Each structure stands twice: as structure tokens, then as C-alpha cells.
């Protein structure tokens, strides 16, 4: 569970709630060149969207609110690289001065590729501020801060998965930024689908 009473806000405190939040994420391949993720709460209200251009070599993903305003931009630092480093920027801007956090693959050649998450622009070797463990292929990932699990994601393969429609369930623990967790899910999924 989340660590103590401390709020974990990375994208913004408006994405933190005082209770465990269950989210459903649906990814749909719209065409050979486009896909998107829709994030819903348990009552079916859309909370976030992520638009992806499949054949975009820059690997840039924009997370928007329901009105279409950019929340964060996910950008792979060096596209077409085994390092799989991402920089996450506030809003729709990819300016290097406004990096909220960076994500780096922990090791290059393991089946379960953990991700280290570094707040701000620092992206060094070693353990980050957060760690994503597991994989989409294993049907489950966990986001940890130290030894505490702050969010869990489960993925269920169905016949629809083979047609480009995938579904994820996210459990975000109290006072944890759910936009941050959604961004980590998208990065994990995009890394595994290179």
C-alpha cells in the first residue's frame, strides 16, 4: 500500500484521491497508424485519454483530460534504442526545462524488464525514486516506492486482444497520483510492443 499519510503527487494533486481508486484502461487500435487508450473510473466516467501514433518514430504520446487539454507528454529520449528511456513533460510541451519525471529500463536483456522512475530530470544508474516491476506479458505489474506497493495493474488477454482491443485494471492506493500511474502503464506497454 502507499507509504503512510504522504501524498504522492507527480503530475498534480488533482489526480490524488483519499481512497483506493479502481480504474479501467481500454486500448484500441484504430487503424494501422493510430491507437488510443481511454481511462475510466468504475462508474464509466472518462478521466484521461492517450493518443498514440503507431508508426511515429519519435514515440511521443500525449495524455489529455476529457476535454482534450494536455496533461503530460511522454517522449522516448532516443527512439529506436534498446535503452528505452522516456522523459515525461508537463502539458503538451516537450521542452527539456519542464521534465516531471524520467523512466529508464533497469536492465537490457531480461524478460521481465523493470523500470526505474526518477523524479525531475535526473536519470542516473541505480534505483530510482519509484520502480515498476513485472510485465504486461506476465499479466501484472506493480509500482513501488521503496518496498511499498502504490499501484497494481492487471491485464487480461481475451479474443479482443488479438484484434487490437486490450483492457487493463488499475488499483491506485490512497493519495497516489493516478495520472502518474497511467503514464507508467502506457510506457510499460509501449516498451513491450516495440
Amino acid at each position: 500500500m502507499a507509504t503512510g499519510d504522504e501524498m504522492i503527487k507527480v503530475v498534480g494533486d488533482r489526480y490524488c484521491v483519499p481512497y483506493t481508486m479502481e480504474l479501467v484502461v481500454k486500448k484500441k487500435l484504430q487503424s494501422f497508424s493510430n491507437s488510443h487508450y481511454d481511462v475510466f473510473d468504475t462508474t464509466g466516467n472518462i478521466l484521461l485519454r492517450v493518443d498514440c501514433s503507431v508508426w511515429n518514430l519519435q514515440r511521443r504520446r500525449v495524455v489529455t483530460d476529457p476535454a482534450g487539454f494536455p496533461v503530460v507528454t511522454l517522449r522516448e529520449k532516443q527512439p529506436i534504442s534498446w535503452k528505452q528511456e522516456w522523459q515525461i513533460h508537463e502539458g503538451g510541451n516537450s521542452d527539456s526545462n519542464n521534465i516531471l519525471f524520467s523512466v529508464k529500463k533497469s536492465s537490457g536483456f531480461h524478460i521481465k524488464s523493470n523500470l526505474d522512475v526518477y523524479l525531475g530530470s535526473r536519470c542516473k544508474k541505480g534505483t530510482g525514486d519509484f520502480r515498476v516491476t513485472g510485465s504486461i506479458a506476465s499479466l501484472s505489474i506493480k509500482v513501488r516506492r521503496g518496498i511499498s506497493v502504490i499501484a497494481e495493474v492487471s491485464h487480461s488477454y481475451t479474443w479482443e486482444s488479438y484484434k487490437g482491443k486490450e483492457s487493463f485494471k488499475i488499483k491506485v492506493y490512497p493519495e497516489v497520483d493516478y495520472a502518474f500511474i497511467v503514464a507508467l502503464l502506457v510506457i510499460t506497454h509501449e516498451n513491450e510492443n516495440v
Side-chain angles (χ1 to χ4, degrees):
M1 304 341 162
T3 55
D5 296 320
E6 183 183 346
M7 182 185 292
I8 299 174
K9 65 174 185 169
V10 178
V11 176
D13 56 3
R14 73 179 185 168
Y15 303 106
C16 300
V17 294
Y19 50 86
T20 299
M21 188 168 198
E22 303 275 339
L23 302 173
V24 175
V25 180
K26 294 184 178 186
K27 181 186 181 213
K28 183 177 181 183
L29 189 63
Q30 292 180 311
S31 67
F32 286 115
S33 62
N34 263 342
S35 68
H36 75 265
Y37 299 80
D38 288 325
V39 181
F40 301 92
D41 64 14
T42 54
T43 60
N45 296 315
I46 190 151
L47 302 174
L48 297 168
R49 284 201 153 115
V50 184
D51 289 317
C52 306
S53 176
V54 176
W55 300 112
N56 182 349
L57 294 178
Q58 293 181 327
R59 302 225 336 151
R60 185 175 180 267
R61 311 295 186 240
V62 179
V63 179
T64 61
D65 65 13
F69 294 107
V71 175
V72 290
T73 299
L74 319 174
R75 185 179 61 81
E76 192 167 25
K77 192 173 179 181
Q78 294 176 327
I80 312 174
S81 167
W82 65 273
K83 290 182 180 180
Q84 296 178 331
E85 292 182 42
W86 292 76
Q87 293 180 330
I88 293 67
H89 304 268
E90 189 174 5
N93 191 346
S94 295
D95 181 19
S96 61
N97 294 329
N98 69 347
I99 296 174
L100 292 174
F101 61 99
S102 300
V103 178
K104 182 179 179 182
K105 191 173 181 180
S106 300
S107 58
F109 299 107
H110 290 114
I111 293 172
K112 279 189 171 183
S113 56
N114 296 329
L115 299 175
D116 288 319
V117 182
Y118 302 88
L119 295 178
S121 59
R122 69 176 193 84
C123 195
K124 301 176 183 174
K125 291 186 178 184
T127 305
D129 299 297
F130 300 92
R131 179 166 260 201
V132 180
T133 60
S135 68
I136 300 298
S138 71
L139 305 179
S140 138
I141 63 171
K142 292 183 180 180
V143 180
R144 301 175 185 275
R145 181 179 198 184
I147 60 169
S148 299
V149 174
I150 62 169
E152 300 176 63
V153 179
S154 62
H155 180 243
S156 54
Y157 281 105
T158 64
W159 178 248
E160 296 294 312
S161 300
Y162 298 104
K163 297 191 226 174
K165 296 179 182 178
E166 297 184 73
S167 182
F168 306 90
K169 290 183 181 176
I170 303 177
K171 180 188 275 186
V172 182
Y173 291 107
E175 304 295 344
V176 175
D177 186 331
Y178 69 83
F180 170 59
I181 301 303
V182 168
L184 293 176
L185 165 64
V186 171
I187 290 168
T188 302
H189 193 255
E190 294 292 310
N191 278 353
E192 291 187 17
N193 291 311
V194 174

